[in-house]
CSV table of all heavy atoms in Angstrom, one decimal:
chain,number,residue,atom,x,y,z
A,19,MET,N,12.4,-18.0,21.5
A,19,MET,CA,11.9,-18.5,20.2
A,19,MET,C,13.0,-18.5,19.2
A,19,MET,O,13.7,-17.5,19.0
A,19,MET,CB,10.7,-17.7,19.8
A,19,MET,CG,10.1,-18.1,18.5
A,19,MET,SD,8.7,-17.1,18.0
A,19,MET,CE,7.4,-18.1,18.7
A,20,HIS,N,13.2,-19.6,18.5
A,20,HIS,CA,14.2,-19.8,17.5
A,20,HIS,C,13.6,-20.1,16.2
A,20,HIS,O,12.8,-21.0,16.0
A,20,HIS,CB,15.2,-20.9,17.9
A,20,HIS,CG,16.3,-21.2,17.0
A,20,HIS,ND1,16.5,-20.5,15.9
A,20,HIS,CD2,17.2,-22.2,17.0
A,20,HIS,CE1,17.6,-21.0,15.2
A,20,HIS,NE2,18.0,-22.0,15.9
A,21,PHE,N,14.0,-19.3,15.2
A,21,PHE,CA,13.5,-19.5,13.8
A,21,PHE,C,14.5,-20.2,13.0
A,21,PHE,O,15.7,-19.9,13.0
A,21,PHE,CB,13.2,-18.1,13.2
A,21,PHE,CG,12.0,-17.4,13.8
A,21,PHE,CD1,12.3,-16.3,14.6
A,21,PHE,CD2,10.7,-17.8,13.6
A,21,PHE,CE1,11.3,-15.6,15.2
A,21,PHE,CE2,9.7,-17.1,14.3
A,21,PHE,CZ,10.0,-16.0,15.0
A,22,ASP,N,14.0,-21.2,12.2
A,22,ASP,CA,14.9,-21.9,11.3
A,22,ASP,C,14.7,-21.4,9.9
A,22,ASP,O,13.7,-21.6,9.3
A,22,ASP,CB,14.5,-23.4,11.4
A,22,ASP,CG,15.5,-24.3,10.6
A,22,ASP,OD1,16.5,-23.8,10.2
A,22,ASP,OD2,15.1,-25.4,10.3
A,23,PHE,N,15.7,-20.6,9.5
A,23,PHE,CA,15.6,-20.0,8.2
A,23,PHE,C,16.2,-20.9,7.1
A,23,PHE,O,16.2,-20.5,5.9
A,23,PHE,CB,16.4,-18.7,8.2
A,23,PHE,CG,15.7,-17.6,9.1
A,23,PHE,CD1,16.3,-17.2,10.2
A,23,PHE,CD2,14.5,-17.1,8.7
A,23,PHE,CE1,15.7,-16.3,11.0
A,23,PHE,CE2,13.9,-16.1,9.5
A,23,PHE,CZ,14.5,-15.7,10.6
A,24,ASP,N,16.5,-22.1,7.4
A,24,ASP,CA,17.1,-23.0,6.3
A,24,ASP,C,15.9,-23.6,5.6
A,24,ASP,O,15.1,-24.4,6.1
A,24,ASP,CB,17.9,-24.1,7.0
A,24,ASP,CG,18.5,-25.0,6.0
A,24,ASP,OD1,18.7,-24.6,4.8
A,24,ASP,OD2,18.8,-26.2,6.3
A,25,ALA,N,15.8,-23.3,4.3
A,25,ALA,CA,14.7,-23.8,3.5
A,25,ALA,C,15.1,-25.0,2.7
A,25,ALA,O,14.4,-25.5,1.9
A,25,ALA,CB,14.2,-22.7,2.6
A,26,GLY,N,16.3,-25.4,2.9
A,26,GLY,CA,16.8,-26.6,2.2
A,26,GLY,C,16.9,-26.5,0.7
A,26,GLY,O,17.2,-25.4,0.1
A,27,LYS,N,16.5,-27.5,0.0
A,27,LYS,CA,16.6,-27.5,-1.5
A,27,LYS,C,15.5,-26.6,-2.1
A,27,LYS,O,15.6,-26.3,-3.3
A,27,LYS,CB,16.5,-28.9,-2.0
A,27,LYS,CG,15.2,-29.6,-1.8
A,27,LYS,CD,15.3,-31.0,-2.3
A,27,LYS,CE,13.9,-31.7,-2.0
A,27,LYS,NZ,13.9,-33.1,-2.6
A,28,TYR,N,14.6,-26.2,-1.3
A,28,TYR,CA,13.5,-25.3,-1.9
A,28,TYR,C,13.8,-23.9,-1.7
A,28,TYR,O,12.9,-23.0,-2.0
A,28,TYR,CB,12.2,-25.7,-1.2
A,28,TYR,CG,11.8,-27.1,-1.5
A,28,TYR,CD1,11.8,-28.1,-0.5
A,28,TYR,CD2,11.4,-27.5,-2.8
A,28,TYR,CE1,11.5,-29.4,-0.8
A,28,TYR,CE2,11.0,-28.8,-3.1
A,28,TYR,CZ,11.1,-29.8,-2.1
A,28,TYR,OH,10.7,-31.1,-2.4
A,29,ALA,N,14.9,-23.5,-1.1
A,29,ALA,CA,15.3,-22.1,-0.8
A,29,ALA,C,15.2,-21.3,-2.1
A,29,ALA,O,14.8,-20.1,-2.0
A,29,ALA,CB,16.6,-22.0,-0.2
A,30,VAL,N,15.6,-21.8,-3.2
A,30,VAL,CA,15.6,-21.1,-4.4
A,30,VAL,C,14.1,-20.6,-4.8
A,30,VAL,O,13.9,-19.6,-5.5
A,30,VAL,CB,16.2,-21.8,-5.6
A,30,VAL,CG1,15.3,-23.0,-6.0
A,30,VAL,CG2,16.5,-20.9,-6.7
A,31,TYR,N,13.1,-21.3,-4.3
A,31,TYR,CA,11.7,-20.9,-4.5
A,31,TYR,C,11.1,-20.1,-3.3
A,31,TYR,O,10.3,-19.2,-3.5
A,31,TYR,CB,10.9,-22.2,-4.8
A,31,TYR,CG,11.4,-23.0,-5.9
A,31,TYR,CD1,12.0,-24.2,-5.6
A,31,TYR,CD2,11.3,-22.6,-7.2
A,31,TYR,CE1,12.5,-25.0,-6.7
A,31,TYR,CE2,11.8,-23.3,-8.3
A,31,TYR,CZ,12.4,-24.6,-8.0
A,31,TYR,OH,12.9,-25.3,-9.0
A,32,VAL,N,11.5,-20.5,-2.1
A,32,VAL,CA,10.9,-20.0,-0.9
A,32,VAL,C,11.3,-18.5,-0.7
A,32,VAL,O,10.4,-17.6,-0.5
A,32,VAL,CB,11.2,-20.8,0.3
A,32,VAL,CG1,10.8,-20.1,1.6
A,32,VAL,CG2,10.6,-22.2,0.2
A,33,TRP,N,12.6,-18.2,-0.8
A,33,TRP,CA,13.0,-16.8,-0.5
A,33,TRP,C,12.6,-15.8,-1.5
A,33,TRP,O,12.1,-14.7,-1.1
A,33,TRP,CB,14.5,-16.8,-0.2
A,33,TRP,CG,14.9,-17.6,1.0
A,33,TRP,CD1,15.6,-18.7,1.1
A,33,TRP,CD2,14.4,-17.4,2.3
A,33,TRP,NE1,15.7,-19.2,2.4
A,33,TRP,CE2,14.9,-18.4,3.2
A,33,TRP,CE3,13.5,-16.4,2.9
A,33,TRP,CZ2,14.6,-18.4,4.5
A,33,TRP,CZ3,13.2,-16.5,4.3
A,33,TRP,CH2,13.8,-17.5,5.0
A,34,PRO,N,12.6,-16.1,-2.8
A,34,PRO,CA,12.1,-15.1,-3.8
A,34,PRO,C,10.5,-14.9,-3.6
A,34,PRO,O,10.0,-13.8,-3.8
A,34,PRO,CB,12.4,-15.8,-5.1
A,34,PRO,CG,13.6,-16.6,-4.9
A,34,PRO,CD,13.4,-17.2,-3.5
A,35,ALA,N,9.8,-16.0,-3.2
A,35,ALA,CA,8.4,-15.9,-3.0
A,35,ALA,C,8.2,-15.0,-1.8
A,35,ALA,O,7.2,-14.1,-1.8
A,35,ALA,CB,7.8,-17.2,-2.7
A,36,PHE,N,8.9,-15.1,-0.7
A,36,PHE,CA,8.8,-14.2,0.4
A,36,PHE,C,9.1,-12.8,0.0
A,36,PHE,O,8.4,-11.8,0.4
A,36,PHE,CB,9.7,-14.6,1.6
A,36,PHE,CG,9.2,-15.7,2.5
A,36,PHE,CD1,9.9,-16.8,2.8
A,36,PHE,CD2,7.9,-15.7,2.9
A,36,PHE,CE1,9.4,-17.8,3.6
A,36,PHE,CE2,7.4,-16.7,3.7
A,36,PHE,CZ,8.2,-17.7,4.1
A,37,ALA,N,10.2,-12.6,-0.7
A,37,ALA,CA,10.6,-11.2,-1.2
A,37,ALA,C,9.5,-10.6,-2.0
A,37,ALA,O,9.2,-9.4,-1.9
A,37,ALA,CB,11.9,-11.3,-1.9
A,38,LEU,N,9.0,-11.4,-3.0
A,38,LEU,CA,7.9,-10.9,-3.8
A,38,LEU,C,6.7,-10.5,-3.0
A,38,LEU,O,6.1,-9.5,-3.3
A,38,LEU,CB,7.6,-11.9,-4.9
A,38,LEU,CG,6.5,-11.5,-5.9
A,38,LEU,CD1,7.0,-10.3,-6.7
A,38,LEU,CD2,6.2,-12.6,-6.8
A,39,SER,N,6.3,-11.3,-2.1
A,39,SER,CA,5.2,-11.0,-1.2
A,39,SER,C,5.4,-9.8,-0.4
A,39,SER,O,4.5,-8.9,-0.3
A,39,SER,CB,4.9,-12.2,-0.3
A,39,SER,OG,4.6,-13.4,-1.0
A,40,ALA,N,6.6,-9.6,0.1
A,40,ALA,CA,6.9,-8.4,0.9
A,40,ALA,C,6.8,-7.1,0.0
A,40,ALA,O,6.3,-6.1,0.3
A,40,ALA,CB,8.2,-8.5,1.5
A,41,ALA,N,7.4,-7.3,-1.3
A,41,ALA,CA,7.3,-6.1,-2.2
A,41,ALA,C,5.9,-5.8,-2.6
A,41,ALA,O,5.6,-4.6,-2.7
A,41,ALA,CB,8.1,-6.5,-3.4
A,42,VAL,N,5.1,-6.8,-2.8
A,42,VAL,CA,3.7,-6.5,-3.1
A,42,VAL,C,2.9,-5.8,-1.9
A,42,VAL,O,2.2,-4.9,-2.2
A,42,VAL,CB,2.9,-7.8,-3.5
A,42,VAL,CG1,1.4,-7.6,-3.6
A,42,VAL,CG2,3.5,-8.3,-4.8
A,43,PHE,N,3.2,-6.3,-0.7
A,43,PHE,CA,2.6,-5.6,0.4
A,43,PHE,C,3.0,-4.1,0.5
A,43,PHE,O,2.2,-3.3,0.8
A,43,PHE,CB,2.9,-6.3,1.7
A,43,PHE,CG,2.0,-7.5,2.0
A,43,PHE,CD1,2.6,-8.8,2.3
A,43,PHE,CD2,0.7,-7.5,1.9
A,43,PHE,CE1,1.8,-9.9,2.5
A,43,PHE,CE2,-0.1,-8.6,2.1
A,43,PHE,CZ,0.5,-9.8,2.4
A,44,VAL,N,4.3,-3.9,0.4
A,44,VAL,CA,4.8,-2.5,0.4
A,44,VAL,C,4.2,-1.7,-0.7
A,44,VAL,O,3.7,-0.5,-0.4
A,44,VAL,CB,6.3,-2.5,0.3
A,44,VAL,CG1,6.9,-1.1,0.0
A,44,VAL,CG2,7.0,-3.1,1.5
A,45,TRP,N,4.1,-2.2,-1.9
A,45,TRP,CA,3.4,-1.5,-3.0
A,45,TRP,C,2.0,-1.2,-2.7
A,45,TRP,O,1.5,-0.1,-3.0
A,45,TRP,CB,3.5,-2.3,-4.3
A,45,TRP,CG,2.8,-1.7,-5.4
A,45,TRP,CD1,3.2,-0.6,-6.2
A,45,TRP,CD2,1.5,-2.0,-5.9
A,45,TRP,NE1,2.2,-0.3,-7.1
A,45,TRP,CE2,1.2,-1.2,-7.0
A,45,TRP,CE3,0.6,-3.0,-5.6
A,45,TRP,CZ2,0.0,-1.2,-7.7
A,45,TRP,CZ3,-0.6,-3.1,-6.3
A,45,TRP,CH2,-0.9,-2.2,-7.3
A,46,MET,N,1.2,-2.2,-2.2
A,46,MET,CA,-0.2,-2.0,-1.8
A,46,MET,C,-0.4,-0.9,-0.8
A,46,MET,O,-1.3,-0.1,-0.9
A,46,MET,CB,-0.8,-3.3,-1.3
A,46,MET,CG,-1.0,-4.3,-2.4
A,46,MET,SD,-1.5,-6.0,-1.8
A,46,MET,CE,-2.8,-5.6,-0.8
A,47,ILE,N,0.5,-0.9,0.2
A,47,ILE,CA,0.4,0.1,1.3
A,47,ILE,C,0.7,1.5,0.7
A,47,ILE,O,0.0,2.5,0.9
A,47,ILE,CB,1.3,-0.2,2.4
A,47,ILE,CG1,0.8,-1.5,3.2
A,47,ILE,CG2,1.5,1.0,3.4
A,47,ILE,CD1,1.8,-2.1,4.2
A,48,ALA,N,1.8,1.6,-0.1
A,48,ALA,CA,2.1,2.9,-0.7
A,48,ALA,C,1.0,3.4,-1.6
A,48,ALA,O,0.7,4.6,-1.6
A,48,ALA,CB,3.5,2.8,-1.4
A,49,ASP,N,0.5,2.5,-2.4
A,49,ASP,CA,-0.6,2.9,-3.4
A,49,ASP,C,-1.8,3.3,-2.6
A,49,ASP,O,-2.5,4.3,-3.0
A,49,ASP,CB,-0.9,1.7,-4.3
A,49,ASP,CG,-1.9,2.1,-5.4
A,49,ASP,OD1,-1.6,3.1,-6.1
A,49,ASP,OD2,-2.9,1.4,-5.5
A,50,SER,N,-2.2,2.6,-1.5
A,50,SER,CA,-3.3,3.0,-0.8
A,50,SER,C,-3.2,4.4,-0.1
A,50,SER,O,-4.1,5.2,-0.1
A,50,SER,CB,-3.6,2.0,0.3
A,50,SER,OG,-4.0,0.7,-0.2
A,51,LEU,N,-2.0,4.6,0.4
A,51,LEU,CA,-1.7,5.9,1.0
A,51,LEU,C,-1.8,7.1,0.0
A,51,LEU,O,-2.3,8.1,0.2
A,51,LEU,CB,-0.4,5.9,1.7
A,51,LEU,CG,-0.3,5.1,3.0
A,51,LEU,CD1,1.1,5.0,3.5
A,51,LEU,CD2,-1.3,5.6,4.1
A,52,ALA,N,-1.2,6.8,-1.2
A,52,ALA,CA,-1.2,7.8,-2.3
A,52,ALA,C,-2.6,8.1,-2.7
A,52,ALA,O,-3.0,9.2,-3.0
A,52,ALA,CB,-0.3,7.4,-3.4
A,53,SER,N,-3.4,7.0,-2.9
A,53,SER,CA,-4.8,7.2,-3.3
A,53,SER,C,-5.6,8.0,-2.2
A,53,SER,O,-6.4,8.8,-2.6
A,53,SER,CB,-5.4,5.8,-3.5
A,53,SER,OG,-6.7,5.9,-3.9
A,54,ALA,N,-5.4,7.7,-1.0
A,54,ALA,CA,-6.1,8.4,0.1
A,54,ALA,C,-5.7,9.9,0.1
A,54,ALA,O,-6.6,10.7,0.3
A,54,ALA,CB,-5.7,7.8,1.5
A,55,ARG,N,-4.4,10.2,-0.2
A,55,ARG,CA,-4.0,11.6,-0.2
A,55,ARG,C,-4.7,12.3,-1.4
A,55,ARG,O,-5.2,13.4,-1.3
A,55,ARG,CB,-2.5,11.7,-0.4
A,55,ARG,CG,-1.8,11.5,0.9
A,55,ARG,CD,-0.3,11.9,0.7
A,55,ARG,NE,0.4,10.9,1.5
A,55,ARG,CZ,1.2,9.9,1.0
A,55,ARG,NH1,1.4,9.9,-0.3
A,55,ARG,NH2,1.8,9.1,1.7
A,56,ARG,N,-4.8,11.6,-2.6
A,56,ARG,CA,-5.5,12.2,-3.7
A,56,ARG,C,-6.9,12.4,-3.5
A,56,ARG,O,-7.4,13.5,-3.8
A,56,ARG,CB,-5.3,11.3,-5.0
A,56,ARG,CG,-4.0,11.3,-5.7
A,56,ARG,CD,-4.0,10.6,-7.0
A,56,ARG,NE,-4.4,9.2,-6.9
A,56,ARG,CZ,-3.5,8.2,-6.8
A,56,ARG,NH1,-2.2,8.5,-6.7
A,56,ARG,NH2,-3.9,7.0,-6.7
A,57,TRP,N,-7.6,11.5,-2.9
A,57,TRP,CA,-9.0,11.6,-2.6
A,57,TRP,C,-9.3,12.7,-1.5
A,57,TRP,O,-10.2,13.5,-1.6
A,57,TRP,CB,-9.7,10.3,-2.1
A,57,TRP,CG,-10.0,9.4,-3.3
A,57,TRP,CD1,-9.3,8.3,-3.6
A,57,TRP,CD2,-10.9,9.6,-4.3
A,57,TRP,NE1,-9.8,7.7,-4.7
A,57,TRP,CE2,-10.8,8.6,-5.2
A,57,TRP,CE3,-11.9,10.6,-4.6
A,57,TRP,CZ2,-11.7,8.5,-6.3
A,57,TRP,CZ3,-12.7,10.5,-5.7
A,57,TRP,CH2,-12.6,9.4,-6.5
A,58,ARG,N,-8.4,12.8,-0.6
A,58,ARG,CA,-8.5,13.9,0.4
A,58,ARG,C,-8.3,15.3,-0.2
A,58,ARG,O,-9.1,16.2,0.1
A,58,ARG,CB,-7.5,13.7,1.5
A,58,ARG,CG,-7.6,14.8,2.6
A,58,ARG,CD,-6.6,14.7,3.7
A,58,ARG,NE,-6.7,13.4,4.4
A,58,ARG,CZ,-5.7,12.5,4.6
A,58,ARG,NH1,-4.5,12.9,4.2
A,58,ARG,NH2,-5.9,11.4,5.2
A,59,ARG,N,-7.3,15.4,-1.1
A,59,ARG,CA,-7.2,16.7,-1.8
A,59,ARG,C,-8.4,17.0,-2.7
A,59,ARG,O,-8.8,18.2,-2.7
A,59,ARG,CB,-5.9,16.7,-2.7
A,59,ARG,CG,-4.6,16.9,-1.9
A,59,ARG,CD,-3.5,17.2,-2.8
A,59,ARG,NE,-3.3,16.2,-3.9
A,59,ARG,CZ,-2.5,15.1,-3.8
A,59,ARG,NH1,-1.7,15.0,-2.7
A,59,ARG,NH2,-2.4,14.3,-4.8
A,60,GLU,N,-8.9,16.0,-3.3
A,60,GLU,CA,-10.1,16.2,-4.2
A,60,GLU,C,-11.3,16.6,-3.3
A,60,GLU,O,-12.1,17.5,-3.7
A,60,GLU,CB,-10.4,14.9,-5.0
A,60,GLU,CG,-11.7,15.0,-5.8
A,60,GLU,CD,-11.5,16.0,-7.0
A,60,GLU,OE1,-10.4,16.5,-7.3
A,60,GLU,OE2,-12.5,16.3,-7.6
A,61,ALA,N,-11.5,16.0,-2.2
A,61,ALA,CA,-12.6,16.3,-1.3
A,61,ALA,C,-12.4,17.8,-0.8
A,61,ALA,O,-13.4,18.5,-0.7
A,61,ALA,CB,-12.7,15.4,-0.1
A,62,GLN,N,-11.2,18.1,-0.4
A,62,GLN,CA,-11.0,19.5,0.0
A,62,GLN,C,-11.2,20.5,-1.1
A,62,GLN,O,-11.8,21.6,-0.8
A,62,GLN,CB,-9.5,19.6,0.6
A,62,GLN,CG,-9.3,18.9,1.9
A,62,GLN,CD,-7.9,18.9,2.3
A,62,GLN,OE1,-7.0,19.1,1.5
A,62,GLN,NE2,-7.6,18.5,3.5
A,63,ARG,N,-10.8,20.2,-2.3
A,63,ARG,CA,-11.1,21.1,-3.4
A,63,ARG,C,-12.6,21.3,-3.7
A,63,ARG,O,-13.0,22.4,-3.8
A,63,ARG,CB,-10.4,20.5,-4.7
A,63,ARG,CG,-10.5,21.4,-5.9
A,63,ARG,CD,-10.0,20.8,-7.2
A,63,ARG,NE,-10.8,19.7,-7.6
A,63,ARG,CZ,-12.0,19.9,-8.3
A,63,ARG,NH1,-12.4,21.1,-8.6
A,63,ARG,NH2,-12.7,18.9,-8.7
A,64,LEU,N,-13.3,20.2,-3.6
A,64,LEU,CA,-14.7,20.2,-3.8
A,64,LEU,C,-15.4,21.0,-2.7
A,64,LEU,O,-16.4,21.8,-3.0
A,64,LEU,CB,-15.3,18.8,-4.0
A,64,LEU,CG,-15.0,18.1,-5.3
A,64,LEU,CD1,-15.5,16.7,-5.2
A,64,LEU,CD2,-15.5,18.8,-6.5
A,65,GLN,N,-15.0,20.8,-1.5
A,65,GLN,CA,-15.5,21.5,-0.4
A,65,GLN,C,-15.3,23.0,-0.5
A,65,GLN,O,-16.2,23.9,-0.3
A,65,GLN,CB,-15.0,21.0,1.0
A,65,GLN,CG,-15.6,21.7,2.2
A,65,GLN,CD,-17.0,21.3,2.4
A,65,GLN,OE1,-17.5,20.2,1.9
A,65,GLN,NE2,-17.8,22.1,3.0
A,66,ALA,N,-14.1,23.4,-0.9
A,66,ALA,CA,-13.7,24.8,-1.1
A,66,ALA,C,-14.6,25.4,-2.2
A,66,ALA,O,-15.1,26.5,-2.1
A,66,ALA,CB,-12.3,25.0,-1.4
A,67,LEU,N,-14.8,24.6,-3.3
A,67,LEU,CA,-15.6,25.1,-4.4
A,67,LEU,C,-17.1,25.3,-3.9
A,67,LEU,O,-17.7,26.3,-4.3
A,67,LEU,CB,-15.6,24.1,-5.5
A,67,LEU,CG,-16.3,24.4,-6.8
A,67,LEU,CD1,-15.7,25.7,-7.5
A,67,LEU,CD2,-16.2,23.2,-7.8
A,68,ARG,N,-17.6,24.4,-3.1
A,68,ARG,CA,-18.9,24.5,-2.6
A,68,ARG,C,-19.1,25.7,-1.7
A,68,ARG,O,-20.1,26.4,-1.7
A,68,ARG,CB,-19.2,23.2,-1.8
A,68,ARG,CG,-20.6,23.1,-1.3
A,68,ARG,CD,-20.8,21.8,-0.7
A,68,ARG,NE,-22.2,21.7,-0.2
A,68,ARG,CZ,-22.6,20.9,0.8
A,68,ARG,NH1,-21.7,20.1,1.4
A,68,ARG,NH2,-23.9,20.8,1.1
A,69,GLU,N,-18.1,25.9,-0.8
A,69,GLU,CA,-18.1,27.1,0.1
A,69,GLU,C,-18.1,28.4,-0.7
A,69,GLU,O,-18.7,29.3,-0.4
A,69,GLU,CB,-16.9,27.0,1.0
A,69,GLU,CG,-16.9,25.9,2.0
A,69,GLU,CD,-18.1,26.0,3.0
A,69,GLU,OE1,-18.4,27.2,3.4
A,69,GLU,OE2,-18.6,25.0,3.4
A,70,ALA,N,-17.3,28.4,-1.8
A,70,ALA,CA,-17.2,29.6,-2.6
A,70,ALA,C,-18.5,29.9,-3.4
A,70,ALA,O,-18.8,31.1,-3.6
A,70,ALA,CB,-16.1,29.5,-3.7
A,71,ARG,N,-19.3,28.9,-3.6
A,71,ARG,CA,-20.6,29.1,-4.4
A,71,ARG,C,-21.7,29.5,-3.4
A,71,ARG,O,-22.8,29.9,-3.9
A,71,ARG,CB,-21.0,27.8,-5.1
A,71,ARG,CG,-20.1,27.6,-6.3
A,71,ARG,CD,-20.7,26.4,-7.0
A,71,ARG,NE,-19.9,26.2,-8.2
A,71,ARG,CZ,-20.1,25.2,-9.1
A,71,ARG,NH1,-21.1,24.3,-8.9
A,71,ARG,NH2,-19.4,25.0,-10.2
A,72,LYS,N,-21.5,29.3,-2.1
A,72,LYS,CA,-22.6,29.7,-1.2
A,72,LYS,C,-22.8,31.2,-1.2
A,72,LYS,O,-21.8,32.0,-1.2
A,72,LYS,CB,-22.3,29.3,0.2
A,72,LYS,CG,-22.5,27.8,0.4
A,72,LYS,CD,-22.3,27.5,1.9
A,72,LYS,CE,-22.6,26.0,2.2
A,72,LYS,NZ,-22.4,25.7,3.5
A,73,PRO,N,-24.1,31.7,-1.2
A,73,PRO,CA,-24.3,33.1,-1.2
A,73,PRO,C,-24.0,33.8,0.1
A,73,PRO,O,-23.9,33.3,1.1
A,73,PRO,CB,-25.8,33.3,-1.5
A,73,PRO,CG,-26.4,31.9,-1.4
A,73,PRO,CD,-25.3,30.9,-1.3
């Protein structure tokens, strides 16, 4: 399989669009992982609080 990376006269628009899209995907993944970590810590904190309140 051979990829043709020549975008011709539109390269000035195509490559920055690809780079921006890749950056947005990386940001979305990093933000999702950070959010999941925060929610996991919050759930663990609430579970520990609930366990501590049990008689």
Side-chain angles (χ1 to χ4, degrees):
M19 180 178 267
H20 178 5
F21 294 106
D22 185 16
F23 293 109
D24 182 24
K27 63 182 180 179
Y28 299 108
V30 71
Y31 304 107
V32 172
W33 295 118
F36 278 132
L38 182 62
S39 297
V42 168
F43 280 129
V44 168
W45 175 77
M46 288 171 51
I47 291 168
D49 186 54
S50 294
L51 291 173
S53 180
R55 281 189 222 112
R56 280 192 300 269
W57 281 111
R58 183 181 298 127
R59 280 194 307 264
E60 179 68 10
Q62 289 172 344
R63 184 187 71 80
L64 291 173
Q65 184 67 27
L67 185 62
R68 185 176 182 206
E69 293 293 326
R71 287 186 177 179
K72 282 187 177 177

